Amino acid sequence: MSQFISLQVGQCGNQIGSAFWPLALHEYGVQTTNTGMNLLKTQRDHVKNIGDLSDAFDSFFVVPDNSHDLCFKSITDLKRAKVKARAILIDMEDSVVGGLRKGPVRDLFDQACVVTNYPGAVGYHTYGTEYQEKLEDTIRHMVEKCSRLHGFLLMHSVGGGTGSGLGTAVLKLLADNYPTIDRLVSCIYPIVMQDVVTAPYNVLLSTRELIDYATCVFPIENESLLDICNAQLKVKGNTEQINYNVSCKPFQDMNSIVANMLLHLTSGSRFPGNLNMDMNEIATNLVPYPKLHYIFSSVSPLTLSAPTMYSVSGTKLIDEIFINAWSRNNQLIKVDPLQSGSMILSAAHVARGNCSVNDLKRNIERFRKKVTFTDWSNEAMKVGLCSVPPAGHSTSLLCLLNSSSMISLFKNVVEQFTRLYRKKAHVYHYTQVRGFEETHFIDCKETISNLIMQYTELQSESQKNISRLQVL
Amino acid sequence: MLTIQFGQCGNQLGHTLFSEILSDLECTNTGVSYNTNYQYSEETFNKWFSGISKNNERLARTVLVDTEQKVINKIYNDKNTSWTYSTRNVICQAEGGCANNWAFGYLIKGYELSDVILNCVRQEVEKLDYFDGFLLLLSSAGGTGSGIGSYITKLLRKEYGKRSIVNTTILPFSFGEVCTQNYNTLLTLAKLYNESDINILIENEQIYNICTNSLKKSPTSLQDMNKVISEKLLAVFQPVDHINHNINSLLSQIACHPSYKIVTIKSSPHISATSANYEPICNWNSYIHHLKQTLRISNLNLQLTNVELKMPSMSLRNTAHYMYACSVSNFLITRGLIPEQDPIMTNIFKEKDLYANWNMTDWFTHLHQNRKFLNRDKFLALITNNSQISYSLDMLLNKAWKSYVHSAFLHLYKQFGLEEDDFLQAFAILENVVKNYKELVPHAKQ
């Protein structure tokens, strides 16, 4: 099956990673514990899908050649078989990475895949270049262990220094060295730039890199994640989820949502299905024009485990899952692709578990009525069916949209930047770094403004009436 | 006959096709004598299978091509079948698919895999004493089937010259399976139009409707849909009584004009398995009438009902006031016993005004097989080459043209070296096809 290398950069990226790996293991039916407790159920149809699950185990994990049985039940089994995660942990300082390497899934990572311990804070120019060799070596080492590498999953935030600077430096490095392999970036956008004063600068600079070098970007906003977590705590009857959220370290409940999205996203290329969706198809289907690759995502159901009692079942349940995926509560980013003002450029729905062609057809037709398309994107619809359900649910849906509503994100980036830049506040932090020119800010702003224009043009595009070819 | 299955759809369909052949062979209620049935089985076996494996399983004579291994793994390891694939014929690259991109499949992957595929085909063909032709199964939506499929068709034409190449192309749902499906379909149909002898178009939408309306399947799985498609194909390609019937004779009848090579298969009856015992079995003539009705086109502003989904009715109404699509030729295959009191009358298909005015003779052929097909008392398939197809192609062209003028998704094709010119050429070819079919004029009514 397709193999993926996850690159976790910076504090935020590594925190997402620490939520990601236990959930990935759960999906494969391996029980992990959180501070000694089994909190979430592992894969439900474990026995039924055992073949598919163990076939796909090497997507995220390196299994030494000599072990033939890919059926693992617990962390100790993994440890015995010397299973390692296909992950590269990158950070400036050691605290988060160190925490991950002491945590419940510590045995998945070895020193070879960790790049840390650089003092200081400025990412892209200094560390991106100085430690390039070390980074390149680590990545090459990991790539060599893959026989069917189909994608890099990058996780980082764009607010801080490490995530935004080093993260995008790594991205560029991947784009230069492995141009044919998809680079999927899930990055956290801070909405209100409050944690870091210079966040507007970081966001602007890294957004430009993402526009230039990523295959697809799945922006995620902290505020949406927070809202989702708060909503989860209010729902009665799903004690398992509430217990999980309560027991989590700060941010882990939020990061689980991101991790869950990534698992859904890669499900199509890891597991078989009646309508398969491979990794490279995501870019083909969702990116109608180059550079317009910021993809809106929403997941349904958001909880990691199903409530003990379902109020509905069968087709009703599936319809509900679809409706939820289109509701504002399930969005991982606060833009409005379904509002009347925004145009859908392309859409993909990836369903997992028991979802039939009927269900898909019915719901896709409903979706078409809900949204506005551009003149040509009426048919730009991709559906995927994956036979293996996520852990804890019988069915799930990932909805990916490329929509002109992404403008609001970019506008916000530019606005925040302009506000800070007007007073030239903190600019000297950047200009004192070797290789950084102040004009770089303006360049980046330009790139993003161009993108905004491109989206706006698409939105207001009038019908082109060029008649079809005439046969003589 | 050598089958080649491309991509996810082609392989899943091929798998179902061979399962259906086996269940046809294993039917107990054949309605014919032991000897006749033996001959039928023998012929079927020779047609579709290349021998017996070491484990005493029949070896399907098919080449499997895919660019990712999940689907092939699944069907190759399917234990519920009493037949198997020969390992040599599985050509599977573990590269993560063709990205739903025709250009990637045609220009990159097709080229990469062509040597292996052609070698495999050569070996299979050399084993045959009598080689009838190729049957290629592919879908036009994705990248593997459409891209590699059309590339290999081109190479086969080059290498095997006058051998018959039958393409079966599955058209995607109109609500959208893949964002680039219109481009992929356009390019595939245009390429195949030049290379293959005949292209059997199968619309997913229609098959889905048959599944939900006639078979009352709920929920409908792709498996069910593949089953319906397989039945249609087998009803055509399974042996018939006529001694000289082979692909070549079929082609010479149905694709008698080089500009008209796109056909569809109408079949009847499709009854759900559970209610099959309670459905009345109509006489042959009502089924034949039913099939003729499927050739209707809407006249004036009447909304046309989808006749293939209806039950054939016992009463034979006068249908003179309907308009019918102008056919190039029709080919009817009936399967089942003909009792004395229920003869098959094919006169209604012989009417001159159904056919294009340049076609003077030979516009209709009827063949029969006494042996029951898949335990059905009666089963009919009509392969028809008629002007109806221009409507779906017209719609496809409309959609593809619309995205083309906005140059949406074009960069994906250009990055693999496909030029604007290639697109325009494809448009031109299909526009021509549509025009040809639209301009068919039937004989004047007598």
Side-chain angles (χ1 to χ4, degrees):
Chain A
M1 301 302 132
S2 302
Q3 293 163 343
F4 300 95
I5 294 180
S6 313
L7 298 115
Q8 311 161 185
V9 190
Q11 178 175 16
C12 175
N14 280 301
Q15 278 170 346
I16 297 176
S18 63
F20 177 80
W21 292 106
L23 291 180
L25 285 174
H26 280 190
E27 197 173 86
Y28 289 110
V30 180
Q31 182 70 57
T32 62
T33 53
N34 193 359
T35 54
M37 281 197 295
N38 290 348
L39 282 167
L40 291 170
K41 287 200 197 82
T42 56
Q43 182 66 248
R44 285 182 162 199
D45 298 326
H46 186 239
V47 182
K48 200 177 97 194
N49 293 321
I50 188 75
D52 295 335
L53 285 172
S54 54
D55 273 350
F57 193 74
D58 71 343
S59 299
F60 285 138
F61 302 96
V62 189
V63 187
D65 290 335
N66 50 17
S67 64
H68 297 292
D69 184 20
L70 292 176
C71 178
F72 302 105
K73 288 268 157 45
S74 67
I75 290 283
T76 25
D77 285 351
L78 294 176
K79 192 175 177 185
R80 201 178 309 124
K82 294 203 174 67
V83 171
K84 297 288 173 212
R86 293 188 198 277
I88 298 174
L89 288 60
I90 304 166
D91 205 350
M92 299 290 186
E93 37 106 45
D94 213 14
S95 65
V96 182
V97 173
L100 185 56
R101 299 192 61 214
K102 286 191 205 89
V105 289
R106 60 183 168 270
D107 299 312
L108 292 175
F109 311 103
D110 50 22
Q111 188 55 45
C113 68
V114 178
V115 185
T116 51
N117 244 346
Y118 310 129
V122 194
Y124 188 85
H125 278 277
T126 315
Y127 295 107
T129 43
E130 264 177 46
Y131 293 91
Q132 191 169 4
E133 225 162 89
K134 163 95 170 138
L135 278 172
E136 261 178 4
D137 281 349
T138 318
I139 294 170
R140 189 179 319 117
H141 185 72
M142 194 54 86
V143 169
E144 275 162 8
K145 282 191 202 158
C146 297
S147 50
R148 293 182 290 269
L149 178 62
H150 292 155
F152 293 107
L153 303 175
L154 248 86
M155 316 168 194
H156 60 81
S157 76
V158 292
T162 320
S164 70
L166 200 52
T168 48
V170 170
L171 176 68
K172 183 163 186 296
L173 199 141
L174 293 176
D176 290 344
N177 292 353
Y178 310 95
T180 55
I181 292 173
D182 287 335
R183 300 166 297 279
L184 307 167
V185 186
S186 62
C187 53
I188 307 287
Y189 270 82
I191 261 268
V192 200
M193 319 272 184
Q194 53 187 13
D195 344 347
V196 187
V197 190
T198 52
Y201 291 151
N202 294 336
V203 172
L204 181 93
L205 295 171
S206 50
T207 301
R208 189 260 172 96
E209 300 292 317
L210 289 172
I211 291 171
D212 280 352
Y213 297 112
T215 318
C216 277
V217 182
F218 302 90
I220 292 153
E221 281 173 356
N222 260 333
E223 207 177 295
S224 309
L225 297 182
L226 207 62
D227 286 353
I228 292 169
C229 287
N230 288 338
Q232 277 176 353
L233 288 177
K234 282 188 199 122
V235 178
K236 293 203 176 66
N238 198 348
T239 39
E240 219 174 312
Q241 180 71 36
I242 293 174
N243 283 343
Y244 177 77
N245 281 9
V246 169
S247 76
C248 280
K249 280 176 272 166
F251 299 126
Q252 198 183 353
D253 47 351
M254 283 156 68
N255 290 331
S256 306
I257 298 166
V258 183
N260 199 19
M261 191 278 280
L262 287 172
L263 287 175
H264 286 316
L265 184 69
T266 51
S267 65
S269 42
R270 288 183 290 139
F271 304 119
N274 275 332
L275 278 172
N276 220 334
M277 184 165 177
D278 280 311
M279 211 65 238
N280 48 14
E281 291 172 14
I282 290 178
T284 315
N285 285 294
L286 288 170
V287 189
Y289 297 102
K291 308 241 161 165
L292 301 188
H293 55 230
Y294 266 66
I295 310 293
F296 160 92
S297 55
S298 68
V299 180
S300 170
L302 279 164
T303 52
L304 297 170
S305 72
T308 30
M309 288 282 282
Y310 272 122
S311 51
V312 288
S313 62
T315 49
K316 276 241 178 76
L317 174 70
I318 290 171
D319 286 354
E320 202 178 284
I321 284 174
F322 270 89
I323 289 171
N324 283 339
W326 303 323
S327 85
R328 303 199 58 173
N329 302 333
N330 287 40
Q331 304 179 351
L332 301 194
I333 175 165
K334 291 226 177 292
V335 294
D336 296 319
L338 287 105
Q339 292 301 313
S340 56
S342 57
M343 297 272 195
I344 301 286
L345 306 182
S346 55
H349 289 89
V350 185
R352 301 181 63 184
N354 45 15
C355 182
S356 68
V357 183
N358 299 42
D359 301 325
L360 266 181
K361 191 171 170 354
R362 188 177 60 244
N363 283 299
I364 296 294
E365 267 154 20
R366 244 187 345 196
F367 175 75
R368 297 173 70 98
K369 290 194 193 111
K370 267 178 173 304
V371 297
T372 351
F373 289 100
T374 61
D375 194 26
W376 46 268
S377 67
N378 239 317
E379 308 289 311
M381 206 70 87
K382 166 80 184 172
V383 289
L385 280 177
C386 172
S387 59
V388 177
H393 284 284
S394 56
T395 320
S396 76
L397 178 78
L398 170 69
C399 171
L400 302 169
L401 304 174
N402 192 346
S403 149
S404 65
S405 60
M406 204 51 85
I407 289 181
S408 65
L409 175 96
F410 295 118
K411 277 195 173 145
N412 190 35
V413 170
V414 174
E415 214 169 89
Q416 300 272 358
F417 162 76
T418 326
R419 195 173 301 156
L420 201 62
Y421 190 68
R422 206 179 294 138
K423 299 193 181 105
K424 304 263 178 192
H426 305 286
V427 170
Y428 73 96
H429 285 304
Y430 291 81
T431 46
Q432 75 189 14
V433 177
R434 189 157 38 86
F436 189 93
E437 307 265 335
E438 210 181 313
T439 50
H440 198 61
F441 279 127
I442 310 298
D443 279 356
C444 293
K445 195 181 153 192
E446 199 105 298
T447 314
I448 298 172
S449 305
N450 280 342
L451 201 66
I452 295 177
M453 250 172 41
Q454 220 176 333
Y455 273 117
T456 327
E457 256 168 42
L458 283 174
Q459 214 166 23
S460 56
E461 198 170 41
S462 60
Q463 212 166 337
K464 274 191 195 167
N465 272 328
I466 304 174
S467 62
R468 274 165 43 183
L469 296 183
Q470 298 296 312
V471 182
L472 297 174
Chain B
M1 186 116 103
L2 174 62
T3 314
I4 311 179
Q5 323 173 166
F6 294 97
Q8 166 158 37
C9 170
N11 280 309
Q12 282 172 342
L13 173 60
H15 193 68
T16 320
L17 185 76
F18 280 99
S19 305
E20 286 291 293
I21 296 171
L22 252 273
S23 47
D24 186 33
L25 281 182
E26 282 158 5
C27 282
T28 46
N29 178 14
T30 59
V32 289
S33 67
Y34 175 81
N35 274 340
T36 324
N37 186 43
Y38 181 81
Q39 207 178 351
Y40 178 87
S41 310
E42 195 75 343
E43 225 176 300
T44 308
F45 182 81
N46 284 336
K47 196 163 193 164
W48 301 100
F49 296 94
S50 60
I52 305 277
S53 77
K54 282 185 196 125
N55 305 330
N56 239 349
E57 287 175 317
R58 296 173 179 88
L59 278 173
R61 187 184 297 127
T62 180
V63 178
L64 299 87
V65 181
D66 206 348
T67 44
E68 55 95 40
Q69 74 277 56
K70 289 189 288 283
V71 178
I72 288 199
N73 272 356
K74 196 127 207 173
I75 61 172
Y76 187 67
N77 297 326
D78 190 355
K79 292 279 178 295
N80 301 328
T81 55
S82 50
W83 52 280
T84 183
Y85 299 104
S86 108
T87 321
R88 240 201 351 251
N89 288 359
V90 179
I91 298 164
C92 171
Q93 224 186 9
E95 297 267 309
C98 278
N100 288 159
N101 188 335
W102 187 89
F104 191 44
Y106 190 86
L107 297 167
I108 312 286
K109 293 285 169 190
Y111 179 74
E112 271 175 36
L113 288 172
S114 58
D115 280 350
V116 195
I117 298 172
L118 285 182
N119 246 332
C120 197
V121 168
R122 237 168 262 142
Q123 278 178 356
E124 280 297 326
V125 171
E126 275 164 16
K127 275 193 277 185
L128 296 175
D129 303 326
Y130 172 71
F131 179 49
D132 210 8
F134 297 101
L135 174 67
L136 278 67
L137 307 176
L138 50 104
S139 86
S140 66
T144 314
S146 66
I148 299 185
S150 34
Y151 187 72
I152 295 300
T153 310
K154 189 175 103 176
L155 296 184
L156 287 178
R157 173 58 72 216
K158 215 160 125 196
E159 181 160 338
Y160 292 93
K162 294 205 169 64
R163 293 286 186 200
S164 323
I165 300 178
V166 179
N167 281 92
T168 303
T169 312
I170 317 293
L171 302 181
F173 280 108
S174 60
F175 69 77
E177 281 173 43
V178 169
C179 297
T180 47
Q181 61 184 27
N182 294 328
Y183 285 154
N184 291 340
T185 308
L186 167 87
L187 293 161
T188 312
L189 291 184
K191 283 281 174 224
L192 291 183
Y193 195 72
N194 285 339
E195 306 294 349
S196 72
D197 289 303
I198 191 172
N199 197 352
I200 303 173
L201 291 194
I202 289 167
E203 287 166 282
N204 257 349
E205 207 98 27
Q206 176 73 359
I207 303 295
Y208 175 83
N209 287 337
I210 291 179
C211 280
T212 47
N213 293 355
S214 307
L215 299 181
K216 307 268 186 292
K217 287 271 185 192
S218 175
T220 304
S221 67
L222 287 172
Q223 176 73 21
D224 300 326
M225 291 173 56
N226 283 337
K227 217 165 156 175
V228 174
I229 302 174
S230 304
E231 279 170 14
K232 281 179 178 256
L233 288 175
L234 287 180
V236 173
F237 291 113
Q238 279 293 61
V240 290
D241 284 345
H242 196 272
I243 193 76
N244 280 329
H245 176 62
N246 54 27
I247 295 186
N248 284 325
S249 67
L250 172 80
L251 290 182
S252 66
Q253 295 289 340
I254 197 76
C256 50
H257 188 295
S259 312
Y260 302 94
K261 297 198 285 199
I262 295 180
V263 302
T264 44
I265 302 175
K266 317 270 186 193
S267 53
S268 179
H270 289 284
I271 311 169
S272 77
T274 47
S275 64
N277 294 335
Y278 314 108
E279 293 283 348
I281 292 165
C282 305
N283 48 24
W284 283 107
N285 278 350
S286 31
Y287 287 126
I288 288 176
H289 262 265
H290 181 230
L291 280 181
K292 177 163 180 200
Q293 285 168 7
T294 60
L295 299 183
R296 270 194 228 154
I297 49 172
S298 56
N299 64 350
L300 300 174
N301 45 10
L302 281 173
Q303 187 63 43
L304 191 74
T305 47
N306 197 336
V307 179
E308 207 179 358
L309 308 179
K310 289 264 177 81
M311 281 292 141
S313 71
M314 295 289 245
S315 61
L316 301 176
R317 273 173 303 158
N318 182 19
T319 53
H321 61 284
Y322 286 115
M323 293 253 291
Y324 288 94
C326 177
S327 310
V328 172
S329 48
N330 286 322
F331 201 106
L332 180 72
I333 294 175
T334 49
R335 293 171 187 278
L337 291 179
I338 312 177
E340 224 163 280
Q341 66 276 20
D342 180 16
I344 296 180
M345 314 250 274
T346 55
N347 288 338
I348 52 166
F349 278 114
K350 289 181 181 152
E351 284 161 19
K352 226 176 166 184
D353 52 315
L354 268 183
Y355 298 94
N357 54 8
W358 47 262
N359 200 354
M360 300 315 280
T361 50
D362 265 0
W363 52 60
F364 177 73
T365 319
H366 170 227
L367 292 176
H368 183 76
Q369 166 67 267
N370 271 329
R371 187 194 184 272
K372 286 180 188 170
F373 175 64
L374 284 166
N375 278 339
R376 311 272 176 79
D377 277 326
K378 289 167 183 171
F379 197 83
L380 300 89
L382 178 75
I383 320 158
T384 168
N385 186 349
N386 69 37
S387 62
Q388 273 173 340
I389 201 69
S390 65
Y391 297 99
S392 357
L393 294 182
D394 204 39
M395 222 139 72
L396 165 80
L397 277 172
N398 250 340
K399 292 170 185 167
W401 184 251
K402 219 174 215 172
S403 0
Y404 180 75
V405 293
H406 286 94
S407 61
F409 295 106
L410 274 189
H411 72 280
L412 299 162
Y413 292 81
K414 284 182 183 161
Q415 70 183 346
F416 295 113
L418 206 71
E419 309 273 329
E420 301 253 343
D421 212 40
D422 295 309
F423 270 97
L424 288 177
Q425 235 168 43
F427 274 114
I429 291 172
L430 272 208
E431 290 283 4
N432 239 321
V433 175
V434 171
K435 178 172 170 266
N436 282 341
Y437 272 104
K438 268 189 180 161
E439 285 177 356
L440 281 177
V441 181
H443 286 276
K445 248 185 190 159
Q446 281 153 337

